[in-house]
Amino acid sequence: MVDVVLSCSGLEKSYQDGSNSVKVLQGVELALEQGERIAIVGRSGSGKSTLLNLLGGLDTPTAGEVLVSHKSLSRMGERARSQWRNRQLGFVFQFHHLLPEFTALEAVAMPMRIGGEAKGVAQERAATLLDRVGLSQRVRHKPAALSGGERQRVAIARALANKPGCVLMDEPTGNLDPESAELVLNLIESIDWGDTAFIIVTHDPKIAEKMDRQLVLESGCLSDLPRALV
Ligand SMILES: Nc1ncnc2c1ncn2[C@@H]1O[C@H](COP(=O)(O)OP(=O)(O)OP(=O)(O)O)[C@@H](O)[C@H]1O
Ligand SMILES: [Mg+2]
């Protein structure tokens, strides 16, 4: 039986706009299997970031459920949810969200340190991960001394720190020039993800077509993208 690492059913999200309630997600169904790579496309404002934030437990749905390893995220206690986020989830945003005072090595080691790993072990694995994303020459650099593409590569290494079940990437190259974007996308495609599944929100059909499944978010629902449009 295939192992589903993250799923949702009947997922709805409404936002209040003055006296109007705007329904952005209207019953999203999704099951992400172990090691699976999914691309989500959809026009601006269709709710892609909203969906990833719900899947990552950064926001709560208006209705429906997110299930992680078959347990409801909303019914987990705060402690279990934080633990799940630390151990089983990696997030890569459009903006890198790296803390300015930490070096690349410290940033990548941090999720492992939070998870209780010893400093030496965490730093050694962080160095290996930074090598995997092609940054072995940048381990002592802080974000201000890194290029945009390098920062995103640190963010990817950080997302992989605890060998999570899944990584959610919200337009990870949306803020980069075309050349850096291509380098980061090539990296996403070529690094060894092991058993880690991921969802990538992207506008780039070239990267979408390389994933196992292509989904489109439209009118609040997620469906398979017809092959001809990929
Ligand atoms: N906190 C909020 N309060 C009210 N409305 C919101 C909020 N966050 C998002 N929205 C609205 O929900 C809709 C979906 O937004 P979302 O950011 O999820 O879209 P998106 O598909 O990620 O777009 P983009 O491709 O531009 O990143 C938009 O109409 C947006 O204005
Ligand atoms: Mg978005």
Side-chain angles (χ1 to χ4, degrees):
M1 207 179 90
V2 283
D3 205 4
V4 173
V5 288
L6 182 65
S7 66
C8 66
S9 69
L11 204 64
E12 297 184 11
K13 181 72 184 178
S14 302
Y15 290 115
Q16 209 59 36
D17 181 15
S19 58
N20 289 337
S21 172
V22 182
K23 212 173 194 181
V24 177
L25 302 179
Q26 325 222 21
V28 172
E29 309 288 330
L30 177 67
L32 178 68
E33 293 173 3
Q34 186 177 44
E36 193 180 25
R37 299 142 53 114
I38 291 181
I40 296 182
V41 301
R43 62 170 181 75
S44 179
S46 58
K48 304 180 298 295
S49 297
T50 301
L51 175 59
L52 285 205
N53 289 341
L54 293 176
L55 291 175
L58 303 176
D59 199 358
T60 47
T62 313
E65 277 199 313
V66 174
L67 298 171
V68 298
S69 310
H70 311 286
K71 278 186 283 219
S72 165
L73 198 57
S74 61
R75 273 186 254 135
M76 274 184 190
E78 191 47 54
R79 198 185 148 88
R81 197 160 40 224
S82 317
Q83 205 170 59
W84 168 72
R85 226 182 263 128
N86 175 251
R87 302 227 173 117
Q88 291 299 331
L89 184 77
F91 230 115
V92 182
F93 299 90
Q94 184 164 351
F95 299 95
H96 56 84
H97 289 263
L98 297 172
L99 297 167
E101 63 272 36
F102 292 106
T103 65
L105 191 76
E106 289 163 342
V108 178
M110 198 170 306
M112 294 181 261
R113 297 287 286 141
I114 291 169
E117 195 58 270
K119 190 173 177 180
V121 176
Q123 293 207 337
E124 200 173 309
R125 176 160 161 78
T128 306
L129 282 165
L130 285 166
D131 187 42
R132 245 160 83 186
V133 298
L135 292 181
S136 51
Q137 305 303 312
R138 298 282 186 279
V139 289
R140 306 274 167 212
H141 289 55
K142 292 181 181 175
L146 295 169
S147 72
E150 287 171 342
R151 288 177 198 154
Q152 284 306 64
R153 286 193 270 161
V154 175
I156 291 167
R158 180 183 56 178
L160 287 168
N162 284 331
K163 302 189 183 143
C166 78
V167 171
L168 304 175
M169 295 186 274
D170 192 358
E171 292 191 62
T173 61
N175 200 32
L176 300 178
D177 61 83
E179 209 172 305
S180 311
E182 177 134 12
L183 275 171
V184 171
L185 290 174
N186 286 340
L187 173 83
I188 289 171
E189 209 201 315
S190 63
I191 54 168
D192 178 9
W193 288 81
D195 278 341
T196 300
F198 69 77
I199 296 178
I200 183 168
V201 165
T202 178
H203 284 295
D204 187 341
K206 281 211 302 286
I207 191 78
E209 75 179 0
K210 289 177 180 145
M211 299 301 129
D212 301 322
R213 268 202 287 162
Q214 296 77 25
L215 304 174
V216 60
L217 187 59
E218 206 171 30
S219 309
C221 292
L222 206 51
S223 50
D224 287 323
L225 187 66
R227 212 51 222 175
L229 294 179
V230 177

